[in-house]
Amino acid sequence: MAAEIRLMKTAAELALADAFATLKSRLPGDAAVAARRVDAFEAFAATGLPHRRVESWKYTDLRTLLRDAPPLALLPTPEQVAGAAAACPMLAGMDLRRLYVVNGAFAPDISDLAGLESGLTITSLASALAVGDPLVATHLGQTVPSSDAALALNTAFMGDGLVISVAPGALVTRPLHLVFVATEPAAVAMFTRSLVVLGEGARLSLVESHEGPSGVAYQINTTLEAVVGDGAQLDRLKLTLEGGEALHIATLLAQVGASATFANTNFTIGGATVRNQMLVQLDGAGTEARIGGVSLLAGKQHSDTLLAMEHIAPHCQSREQFRAVVDGAAQDIFQGRISVRPGAQKTDARMMSRALLLSDTAESDNKPELEIFADDVQCGHGCTTGSLDQQVKFYLMARGIPEKEAEALLIQAFVGEVIDGIAHEGVRAALSDATRTWLIERK
Amino acid sequence: MAPLLEIRDLHAEITGGRKIINGMNLTINPGEVHAIMGPNGAGKSTLSYVLSGKPGYEVTSGEVLFRGVDLLSLSPDERAAQGMFLCFQYPLEIPGVSNMAFLHTAANSQRKQRGEPELTSPELVRKVRELGKQLGIDTDMLKRPVNVGFSGGEKKRNETLQMMLLEPFLSILDEADSGLDIDALKVVSNGVNAMRSPDRSFLVITHYQRLLDYIVPDVVHVFAAGRIVHTGGKELALELEATGYAQYQNEAA
Ligand SMILES: Nc1ncnc2c1ncn2[C@@H]1O[C@H](COP(=O)(O)OP(=O)(O)OP(=O)(O)O)[C@@H](O)[C@H]1O
Ligand SMILES: [Mg+2]
């Protein structure tokens, strides 16, 4: 039997093909969008679900993990929508403009669309696709090229999400909170896609949170495409707070212009299997990018982060900082690659990923990589994997601090190396609190 | 008067390794300052670790009573809350934990364990700043992560600050003088002397008589091959400076 040759499609692949055949005429968008969906699905079908021989998916074998493809979520009931309004309590009380996506569909009734700052426009992806919104026509699927299979599936099935644009020069001071909530008590699949476009010199802060019921094996495949114009500034924080059995696949495609600032931080604490793949392309000179990630994993959680940072233009600076705290039999994966293209002279890039293992059965796979095709650059990367420093822990205990608290203090300091870089003070405090709660609840 | 610390025929080894403490006896009464001097590798630091509960050491026999309690049954933090303090020979660096937050957590953890009311932030900040002033530790150093990038002398001052804040009954100073310049030596010694009282005791481990000019001991012990082999008054330190340990090492063997 030759494993290299695909003799048979898996049950999940067959179910996806069936679903696409049935649904494609009902998914939003005009003929051009429909054609893109078909192309995307065909591209997916040609390779099938990614598996361990696909380098970028080496540690997360979707072909094995996805035993089945559950049905697409139906539109939420009014009760489900109303219930979703209380989502993400860790950021409650903060002055954020909340925009809800419930069971994969934008929920205008509970979203805060009043008094939009001048220059800020917000629509749902479904309606943007339906009316042939020029922003979507110009940018969706055009930000960063990728042949990733999970992204192709997202393009084929994308149902709804948010389309946000900030006009040139507009500074949106009130952060947006995109609240993705799954409420269906049965296993369903959701495909959401969002687009954020910042005009020249525009500024926006964005929090994106994802959550759902524990004990339900729902699946979400979500994508955000971001276009950051010249001199613009986009700050994004993504919170993965999914239920304990969820499969969460998220793609970030960011195209960043000249003299811009782009900051992205992932905070992963929930979900059974989480994949965060980020493709960031620095297209214009003099740009700064800060990409960070924290994952706090326990039980059998599996979190796989992939970062491809492309330095295309010269004089850009990027900083990549990842921290994983892994307990139980959980597994954290970080694959990060900084590519410096020919011509991207004076690139200054530094990547560091560190994992802290709290148990003998915890696992971390840490693969930073540099790929440099320019000669006048400063690049560095490093990674460490280790357990808590017992000497330091003893030092804390010798001063009267009980063991659990000493450990908590050290772990908080460890993830603080990323969290402290978040600009929004309230959000920073909320993440510290969430970390503290996680540590207290840890057995 | 009940002794503060009683060590009775203590034997201890490195877990799975060599025996280091070899039939140690020592009684320290409240208010006393004891000095321990002895050759490199004799086991002085090991003794301090065994007393403070560092993992990796096995007590094979003997007992230690601290304020009437079986010390060896307590965890390191419980020992600290009981009033035991080890001034480390090599203080550790703790990146990401500010000195002030560390002091705050330590002081209040101890108080909580003893059932005492916790200090408020302003109370604590005021206390720490005052001590900092006495010890030549500026506000910036208090904000910085614990010991990170501190010079050797600054680390020792920081240890002294912790000791003075936590007000232990027994302070074990393991080579508090190593790496200190003359001024810092005075600062640290003044800190210790300011704390001396009828109910506080000190166990001062040192190689040099000079420290004992500043912190004048009541008793001086010679420690060799894992136990006390000779005990005398403060003049013994001067004798040792002249003669070295050779005669006592024979005694130990
Ligand atoms: N973790 C360890 N593993 C192996 N040997 C050890 C360990 N800790 C201490 N030792 C050994 O135990 C002996 C006593 O060491 P210790 O540090 O207690 O000596 P000391 O009297 O404090 O010496 P110094 O005056 O140099 O500070 C030494 O021979 C040392 O090498
Ligand atoms: Mg020593």
Side-chain angles (χ1 to χ4, degrees):
Chain A
M1 205 185 86
E4 293 79 11
I5 301 166
R6 304 216 47 209
L7 298 171
M8 197 188 285
K9 291 198 178 293
T10 66
E13 287 165 350
L14 291 169
L16 284 165
D18 273 354
F20 188 69
T22 326
L23 291 168
K24 65 181 175 197
S25 59
R26 276 185 266 152
L27 290 164
D30 58 13
V33 175
R36 293 240 316 265
R37 292 183 189 277
V38 171
D39 286 349
F41 194 82
E42 279 173 1
F44 163 75
T47 60
L49 286 165
H51 48 90
R52 63 198 157 79
R53 284 203 189 79
V54 178
E55 187 59 26
S56 62
W57 285 88
K58 183 173 168 183
Y59 298 94
T60 305
D61 189 329
L62 272 193
R63 191 181 288 171
T64 313
L65 278 167
L66 270 188
R67 303 214 159 276
D68 203 359
L72 284 197
L74 301 174
L75 286 180
T77 65
E79 290 73 33
Q80 286 177 325
V81 169
C88 203
M90 67 181 267
L91 299 182
M94 256 173 247
D95 185 26
L96 310 170
R97 181 184 293 282
R98 293 183 174 79
L99 305 163
Y100 292 82
V101 176
V102 182
N103 297 344
F106 177 55
D109 293 352
I110 54 168
S111 294
D112 180 0
L113 294 165
L116 294 184
E117 287 97 326
S118 88
L120 173 64
T121 57
I122 299 171
T123 53
S124 74
L125 179 83
S127 61
L129 287 174
V131 303
D133 188 315
L135 206 61
V136 167
T138 312
H139 297 291
L140 204 76
Q142 316 291 320
T143 48
V144 181
S146 164
S147 59
D148 179 77
L151 176 63
L153 268 185
N154 184 277
T155 303
F157 284 102
M158 60 187 172
D160 208 349
L162 286 148
V163 177
I164 295 159
S165 81
V166 184
L171 310 178
V172 178
T173 49
R174 194 169 163 226
L176 304 187
H177 181 183
L178 276 49
V179 192
F180 290 81
V181 194
T183 66
E184 197 60 57
V188 291
M190 289 152 279
F191 293 86
T192 56
R193 179 89 160 231
S194 298
L195 173 67
V196 175
V197 180
L198 266 63
E200 196 175 329
R203 195 180 297 169
L204 180 71
S205 291
L206 197 68
V207 180
E208 191 183 313
S209 64
H210 294 264
E211 66 188 86
S214 56
V216 182
Y218 62 93
Q219 300 178 358
I220 175 159
N221 179 327
T222 185
T223 297
L224 175 74
E225 292 190 75
V227 180
V228 184
D230 293 349
Q233 181 177 336
L234 177 62
D235 258 294
R236 174 182 181 251
L237 168 69
K238 174 175 176 282
L239 305 173
T240 306
L241 315 168
E242 303 283 19
E245 300 203 4
L247 169 73
H248 173 105
I249 299 173
T251 307
L252 167 71
L253 304 171
Q255 180 188 30
V256 188
S259 306
T261 308
F262 175 57
N264 188 82
T265 309
N266 289 337
F267 185 80
T268 300
I269 196 165
T273 302
V274 175
R275 161 81 166 190
N276 274 303
Q277 43 186 16
M278 299 174 277
L279 283 67
V280 180
Q281 194 170 292
L282 306 183
D283 281 341
T287 281
E288 254 179 62
R290 272 181 294 110
I291 312 294
V294 167
S295 46
L296 305 176
L297 309 175
K300 291 184 172 166
Q301 281 181 291
H302 173 107
S303 169
D304 179 345
T305 301
L306 178 97
L307 169 68
M309 169 60 72
E310 299 274 346
H311 279 265
I312 293 171
H315 295 280
C316 291
Q317 189 196 67
S318 74
R319 294 286 177 269
E320 294 80 13
Q321 286 287 349
F322 289 81
R323 299 289 179 272
V325 180
V326 195
D327 201 359
Q331 185 183 10
D332 184 82
I333 297 122
F334 175 75
Q335 286 182 278
R337 192 182 63 230
I338 296 175
S339 303
V340 181
R341 296 292 177 80
Q345 301 295 7
K346 303 286 178 195
T347 288
D348 172 2
R350 227 151 288 180
M351 173 158 65
M352 175 56 93
S353 57
R354 299 175 60 195
L356 187 57
L357 305 180
L358 300 182
S359 81
D360 293 342
T361 44
E363 193 182 327
S364 138
D365 297 282
N366 215 329
K367 288 185 87 183
E369 219 183 306
L370 290 175
E371 190 184 64
I372 301 175
F373 299 107
D375 50 15
D376 186 12
V377 302
Q378 272 195 315
C379 292
H381 70 63
C383 68
T384 63
T385 298
S387 49
L388 277 176
D389 187 323
Q390 295 303 312
Q391 307 285 336
V392 175
K393 189 169 111 181
F394 170 66
Y395 186 59
L396 291 170
M397 291 180 72
R399 295 298 177 255
I401 303 172
E403 181 168 20
K404 281 284 158 206
E405 216 166 312
E407 289 180 353
L409 211 56
L410 295 176
I411 296 167
Q412 276 201 295
F414 178 77
V415 302
E417 293 167 9
V418 171
I419 292 175
D420 292 348
I422 289 172
H424 192 287
E425 196 184 330
V427 168
R428 204 165 58 230
L431 292 187
S432 291
D433 288 350
T435 304
R436 184 137 193 97
T437 307
W438 184 86
L439 288 167
I440 289 165
E441 286 168 1
R442 183 171 84 87
K443 271 152 241 117
Chain B
M1 183 178 54
L4 179 71
L5 179 78
E6 267 189 283
I7 303 176
R8 294 189 195 136
D9 194 27
L10 186 70
H11 294 256
E13 57 192 36
I14 290 159
T15 305
R18 275 176 52 201
K19 184 165 187 181
I20 309 284
I21 306 298
N22 204 353
M24 162 97 187
N25 287 290
L26 175 66
T27 300
I28 299 180
N29 291 309
E32 290 178 351
V33 175
H34 288 231
I36 286 189
M37 304 181 83
N40 293 127
K44 303 180 298 295
S45 293
T46 303
L47 173 68
S48 73
Y49 290 144
V50 169
L51 291 178
S52 49
K54 187 176 179 176
Y57 300 91
E58 210 83 57
V59 172
T60 48
S61 70
E63 65 174 343
V64 181
L65 290 178
F66 180 57
R67 300 174 69 210
V69 180
D70 172 15
L71 185 76
L72 301 175
S73 68
L74 303 179
S75 61
D77 54 304
E78 290 168 337
R79 297 179 196 202
Q82 277 285 325
M84 161 91 66
F85 183 91
L86 171 61
C87 192
F88 281 61
Q89 183 173 3
Y90 304 107
L92 287 107
E93 303 189 356
I94 318 179
V97 178
S98 86
N99 218 352
M100 191 61 97
F102 166 61
L103 293 168
H104 199 164
T105 312
N108 279 344
S109 294
Q110 292 204 10
R111 283 167 175 265
K112 207 149 87 188
Q113 289 191 54
R114 293 194 294 258
E116 295 167 9
E118 294 182 29
L119 291 173
T120 64
S121 274
E123 281 171 336
L124 197 115
V125 169
R126 201 177 328 114
K127 256 184 126 150
V128 170
R129 289 227 174 114
E130 243 163 58
L131 292 173
K133 214 179 270 171
Q134 280 183 47
L135 295 167
I137 296 175
D138 61 24
T139 341
D140 176 59
M141 267 172 68
L142 295 171
K143 285 186 197 148
R144 275 160 59 186
V146 183
N147 294 331
V148 177
F150 287 23
S151 73
E154 286 169 343
K155 285 180 182 168
K156 290 294 169 76
R157 286 177 204 234
N158 207 27
E159 292 287 293
T160 311
L161 188 151
Q162 293 169 35
M163 177 179 72
M164 295 178 78
L165 176 72
L166 298 171
E167 301 181 327
F169 289 110
L170 177 67
S171 302
I172 304 172
L173 283 74
D174 191 0
E175 296 192 28
D177 50 344
S178 73
L180 291 189
D181 63 31
I182 308 284
D183 293 337
L185 187 66
K186 282 184 191 159
V187 167
V188 170
S189 308
N190 287 343
V192 170
N193 288 329
M195 279 183 67
R196 286 186 74 161
S197 81
D199 56 1
R200 257 181 244 301
S201 308
F202 296 85
L203 182 59
V204 182
I205 300 170
T206 183
H207 287 296
Y208 303 105
Q209 146 66 22
R210 195 181 53 188
L211 177 68
L212 304 180
D213 285 340
Y214 296 103
I215 305 172
V216 180
D218 299 301
V219 190
V220 175
H221 306 281
V222 179
F223 188 92
R227 62 191 152 104
I228 289 173
V229 293
H230 188 75
T231 297
K234 59 175 177 259
E235 66 290 342
L236 178 56
L238 276 172
E239 274 175 52
L240 289 170
E241 193 110 308
T243 59
Y245 298 115
Q247 53 172 319
Y248 302 110
Q249 272 169 311
N250 294 338
E251 223 167 290

